[in-house]
């Protein structure tokens, strides 16, 4: 139903819903609650999975856990929720995070407005009626004034790049699409390809039971200790006694965590003092070494060299065989320019008799065979192959939605040379579409639940602002979008990020434009910009009445 003639003979658009939300992970669940329960909108959520959870639904590989402390990596929107929920570990594992998201879905009665097992595959803007037509793989189409994408940043696993995967007679599992928690590695000959955050978490676990585990490493990573353990009741009580202030401090921090120890420059202190700082942060665990040591490590190569060398030394201390330690110690790219993984016992695993490191930088994988893996110089036989090869990050999930904006413009064409957004949240030519933690926003460089809440709140506030004024359509101007893209790229060019082939740069996908996908100016600067935009009546946007008023 798009337009009807009412009794006064004026055209009126009728939408099936005020808003469609895509995805039922952290973003989609909060968007549904916010728009439905606080704004009173009619909302439908489409979710491809059979239940809620998003990332935490799909990533059930052994060892999957968050790496920002759970008291921080959680929703802040409900004081009652954050007081009631008890985390059992400092960094919760995937099962507990999924339990939490299920609790949220039940507590706020969200499931009744979520359609599961249904993937959105087309979204077309109807300019005459000023609404989105959202189609699913099941063939139905609904209309809505607004679409909120909570499709996620790391939700489309990379297509395996190895010839012969389908010929392998054993089991193949993808860390990014792993639904079976009960895969038994006991006594099995296991290969794992990829040593990013997922691979590193999985390797530590699989090595505990595998008969033999072969780790195929192309690029070694700067993994540092997570220092997980049971949640400390004193820490929990202190946080809960001051949760509002803790969240405020998090939102005023670059990464969205309430850390306070960062110092200006690794180069402004003596080698002894620097070592003391690195040791303290290393022992404290989490992202303290990365984000709470020295501010210049992502900007100054010499500063970065100090921390990179420190991590290499620590790796050598933990690995018995110097030749293996040499292969595991990253070089040739700065620390932090690939997303730093956090680990438990990762390097010690390579001291076990049942674990072998295979260097596929020098002897690349040629193919997967019926029985295992063939590299340039050897054949290996396996029962199970685990692909921990990453994701088509940030833009991949949006490209899969089949988004078509004004005048038939496809998002895939508009972004052929890389994403173009205003605030990483909206796109010129694609009105009334909000991309939660989209490209060119702080997203993965900001504590995800808080980043999500900020974006959903922005969208909700914009919708409220328009409704209060009888307006229906919000769209970024091309000029504001061009300025934002230039601004985001200028900031990233001052960092060391563009030097390295990483998924931050789109460089992990053959043929994907090489461009920084993040806003690297930090969450506080970003939030201040968004606040200014709102304070100035949605500066950089046009706000209009619909061509056909909504009924
Ligand atoms: O993926 P990745 P991931 N041949 O892209 C290798 C988040 N996350 O799934 O570096 C051989 O980081 C590739 O090698 P190289 C987090 O943001 C968070 O591990 O391209 N090897 C690399 O070693 C993270 O950054 C948590 O040379 C190939 C690996 O596969 C993001 O998700 C946990 C290859 C891919 O690493 C992605 O992490 C897990 C090929 N053809 C994930 N293709 C938390 O703790 C790829 N590789 C919250």
């Amino acid at each position: 139903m798009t337009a009807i003639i009412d009794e006064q003979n004026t055209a009126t658009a009728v939408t099936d819903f005020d808003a469609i939300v895509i995805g039922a992970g952290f973003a989609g669940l909060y968007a549904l609650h916010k728009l439905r329960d606080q704004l009173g909108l009619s909302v439908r959520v489409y979710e491809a999975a059979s239940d809620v959870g998003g990332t935490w639904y799909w990533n059930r590989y052994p060892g999957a856990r968050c790496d920002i402390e759970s008291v921080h990596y959680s929703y802040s929107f409900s004081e009652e929720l954050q007081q009631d929920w008890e985390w059992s570990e400092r960094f919760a594992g995937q099962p507990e995070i999924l339990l939490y998201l299920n609790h949220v879905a039940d507590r706020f009665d969200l499931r009744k407005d979520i359609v599961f097992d249904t993937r959105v595959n087309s979204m077309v803007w109807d300019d005459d009626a000023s609404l989105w037509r959202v189609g699913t793989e099941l063939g139905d189409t609904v209309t809505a004034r607004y679409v909120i994408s909570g499709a996620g940043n790391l939700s489309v696993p990379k297509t395996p790049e190895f010839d012969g995967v389908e010929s392998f007679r054993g089991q193949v599992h993808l860390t990014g699409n792993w639904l079976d928690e009960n895969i038994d590695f006991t006594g099995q000959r296991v290969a794992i390809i990829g040593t990013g955050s997922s691979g590193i978490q999985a390797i530590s676990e699989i090595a505990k039971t595998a008969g033999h585990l072969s780790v195929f490493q192309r690029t070694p990573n700067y993994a540092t200790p997570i220092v997980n353990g049971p949640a400390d009741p004193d820490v929990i009580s202190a946080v809960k006694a001051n949760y509002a202030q803790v969240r405020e401090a998090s939102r005023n921090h670059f990464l969205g965590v309430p850390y306070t120890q960062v110092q200006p420059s690794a180069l402004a202190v003596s080698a002894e003092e620097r070592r003391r700082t690195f040791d303290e942060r290393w022992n404290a665990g989490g992202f303290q070494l990365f984000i709470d040591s020295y501010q210049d490590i992502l900007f100054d190569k010499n500063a970065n060299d100090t921390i990179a060398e420190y991590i290499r030394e620590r790796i050598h201390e933990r690995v018995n065989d110097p030749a293996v330690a040499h292969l595991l110690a990253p070089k040739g790219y700065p620390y932090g320019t690939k997303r730093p993984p956090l680990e438990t016992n990762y390097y010690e695993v390579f001291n076990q008799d049942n674990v072998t490191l295979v260097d596929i930088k020098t002897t690349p994988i040629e193919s997967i065979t019926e029985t295992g893996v063939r590299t340039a110089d050897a054949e290996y036989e396996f029962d199970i192959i685990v692909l921990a090869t990453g994701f088509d990050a940030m833009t991949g999930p949006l490209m899969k939605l089949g988004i078509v904006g004004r005048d038939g413009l496809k998002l895939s064409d508009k972004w052929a040379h890389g994403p173009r957004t205003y605030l990483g949240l909206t796109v010129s030519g694609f009105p009334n579409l909000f991309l939660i933690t989209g490209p060119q926003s702080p997203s993965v460089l900001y504590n995800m639940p808080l980043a999500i809440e900020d974006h959903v709140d922005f969208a909700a506030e914009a919708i409220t602002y328009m409704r209060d004024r009888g307006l229906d359509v919000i769209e970024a101007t091309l000029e504001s979008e061009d300025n934002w893209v230039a601004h985001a790229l200028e900031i990233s060019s001052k960092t060391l990020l563009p030097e390295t082939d990483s998924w931050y740069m789109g460089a992990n996908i053959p043929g994907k434009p090489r461009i920084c996908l993040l806003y690297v100016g930090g969450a506080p600067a970003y939030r201040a910009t968004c606040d200014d935009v709102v304070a100035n009546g949605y500066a950089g946007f046009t706000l209009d009445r619909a061509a056909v008023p909504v009924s």
Side-chain angles (χ1 to χ4, degrees):
M1 214 174 350
T2 56
I4 57 170
I5 304 298
D6 66 18
E7 282 166 9
Q8 284 77 43
N9 211 28
T10 51
T12 307
V14 178
T15 56
D16 297 313
F17 299 95
D18 293 320
I20 295 291
V21 172
I22 297 168
F26 263 102
L29 293 179
Y30 178 54
L32 170 57
H33 170 62
K34 181 85 189 179
L35 299 184
R36 186 192 70 184
D37 302 335
Q38 294 184 16
L39 268 61
L41 303 189
S42 63
V43 183
R44 171 172 283 181
V45 179
Y46 284 112
E47 168 56 61
S50 302
D51 209 338
V52 300
T55 288
W56 300 105
Y57 177 93
W58 293 106
N59 286 261
R60 302 179 195 213
Y61 60 84
R65 70 176 62 253
C66 64
D67 52 13
I68 285 180
E69 288 87 343
S70 292
V71 286
H72 308 311
Y73 185 87
S74 47
Y75 288 122
S76 72
F77 70 84
S78 162
E79 180 61 13
E80 295 75 24
L81 170 66
Q82 60 184 10
Q83 290 297 337
D84 290 353
W85 186 262
E86 300 287 346
W87 294 105
S88 70
E89 291 180 281
R90 182 181 178 201
F91 299 92
Q94 172 276 329
E96 191 171 8
I97 303 171
L98 190 56
L99 210 62
Y100 170 76
L101 291 170
N102 273 277
H103 169 79
V104 170
D106 294 336
R107 184 177 185 120
F108 297 97
D109 198 13
L110 301 177
R111 286 176 207 282
K112 65 182 183 202
D113 291 306
I114 306 173
V115 180
F116 292 107
D117 297 307
T118 307
R119 190 178 286 281
V120 167
N121 67 356
S122 84
M123 274 176 51
V124 180
W125 175 253
D126 178 334
D127 213 18
D128 295 332
S130 302
L131 50 75
W132 283 100
R133 293 178 191 286
V134 178
T136 75
E137 276 181 357
L138 301 180
D140 32 79
T141 302
V142 293
T143 56
R145 191 64 101 193
Y146 302 100
V147 175
I148 315 285
S149 168
N153 296 128
L154 295 157
S155 51
V156 175
K158 247 173 76 154
T159 308
E161 286 158 359
F162 310 104
D163 289 341
V165 181
E166 58 299 326
S167 72
F168 180 60
R169 291 203 298 255
Q171 304 171 41
V172 178
H173 300 286
L174 214 56
T175 48
N177 185 0
W178 189 305
L179 295 182
D180 184 354
E181 296 97 339
N182 298 314
I183 291 163
D184 187 6
F185 294 95
T186 313
Q188 301 291 298
R189 297 165 304 171
V190 185
I192 182 158
I193 303 173
T195 51
S197 300
S198 307
I200 283 174
Q201 288 182 331
I203 288 162
S204 295
E205 285 302 310
I206 296 172
K208 289 177 182 168
T209 56
H212 196 91
L213 174 63
S214 300
V215 175
F216 290 81
Q217 172 190 272
R218 187 164 67 183
T219 309
N221 232 316
Y222 293 94
T224 63
I226 189 167
V227 191
N228 192 25
D232 178 338
D234 294 339
V235 172
I236 301 280
S237 308
V239 168
K240 286 193 173 180
N242 292 294
Y243 234 138
Q245 291 94 316
V246 170
R247 298 299 196 173
E248 188 58 25
S250 295
R251 286 191 152 93
N252 284 320
H253 182 277
F254 185 95
L255 193 75
V257 282
Y259 296 164
T260 56
Q261 311 273 315
V262 75
Q263 297 168 40
S265 171
L267 302 175
V269 296
S270 67
E272 293 73 28
E273 185 181 335
R274 199 163 51 226
R275 173 78 197 201
R276 241 187 341 267
T277 300
F278 288 155
D279 282 347
E280 274 171 23
R281 309 297 190 269
W282 176 277
N283 294 334
F287 279 124
Q288 295 191 33
L289 182 70
F290 173 47
I291 214 70
D292 208 28
S293 57
Y294 296 104
Q295 255 163 357
D296 54 352
I297 59 168
L298 271 187
F299 296 88
D300 184 319
K301 180 66 170 54
N302 292 326
N304 195 286
D305 285 345
T306 66
I307 195 162
E309 185 52 30
Y310 172 81
I311 297 171
R312 282 191 287 270
E313 276 177 30
R314 302 302 308 253
I315 293 170
H316 275 271
E317 286 167 17
R318 293 171 62 184
V319 180
N320 297 342
D321 181 340
V324 175
H326 180 74
L327 284 177
L328 286 168
K331 8 190 176 324
Y333 71 97
Y335 169 60
T337 56
K338 281 177 184 282
R339 200 269 200 184
L342 298 183
E343 51 82 27
T344 302
N345 216 35
Y346 175 63
Y347 293 106
E348 286 76 10
V349 155
F350 294 93
N351 300 330
Q352 294 178 202
D353 291 339
N354 69 334
V355 178
T356 308
L357 181 65
V358 183
D359 170 22
I360 51 169
K361 181 81 102 195
T362 42
T363 54
I365 292 176
E366 287 185 342
S367 64
I368 290 182
T369 65
E370 285 184 13
T371 52
V373 174
R374 180 183 302 131
T375 65
D377 69 347
E379 290 244 12
Y380 302 83
E381 292 197 351
F382 297 111
D383 304 305
I384 303 176
I385 297 176
V386 173
L387 299 175
T389 44
F391 297 87
D392 183 354
M394 316 281 303
T395 51
L398 296 167
M399 294 302 198
K400 287 213 146 195
L401 296 175
I403 303 176
V404 180
R406 273 194 207 283
D407 305 321
L409 178 61
K410 292 182 179 160
L411 189 70
S412 53
D413 287 340
K414 172 154 180 152
W415 286 8
H417 302 292
R420 305 194 66 78
T421 72
Y422 180 41
L423 304 173
L425 183 56
T426 58
V427 184
S428 180
F430 298 79
N432 288 6
L433 169 62
F434 296 95
L435 310 177
I436 304 306
T437 67
Q440 290 151 359
S441 75
S443 62
V444 294
L445 283 183
Y446 185 15
N447 179 1
M448 235 348 145
L450 301 191
I452 284 165
E453 287 180 342
D454 287 359
H455 265 183
V456 170
D457 290 349
F458 184 99
E461 230 180 288
I463 292 170
T464 305
Y465 181 93
M466 288 196 290
R467 286 163 75 95
D468 290 348
R469 288 162 181 75
L471 300 167
D472 315 283
V473 182
I474 181 167
E475 182 181 352
T477 67
L478 200 52
E479 188 191 6
S480 59
E481 180 178 277
D482 286 346
N483 289 341
W484 183 255
V485 174
H487 175 57
L489 290 180
E490 194 200 341
I491 296 178
S492 70
S493 74
K494 291 183 180 146
T495 73
L496 302 172
L497 257 55
E499 284 188 22
T500 301
D501 285 341
S502 67
W503 63 257
Y504 288 164
M505 297 297 300
N508 66 329
I509 303 288
K512 186 165 172 170
R514 196 179 195 289
I515 185 169
C516 186
L517 296 170
L518 309 173
Y519 173 82
V520 199
Y526 176 78
R527 296 180 68 245
T529 303
C530 290
D531 288 348
D532 277 354
V533 166
V534 174
N536 289 300
Y538 291 88
F541 290 99
T542 56
L543 280 74
D544 276 318
R545 290 204 158 76
V548 182
V550 76
S551 72

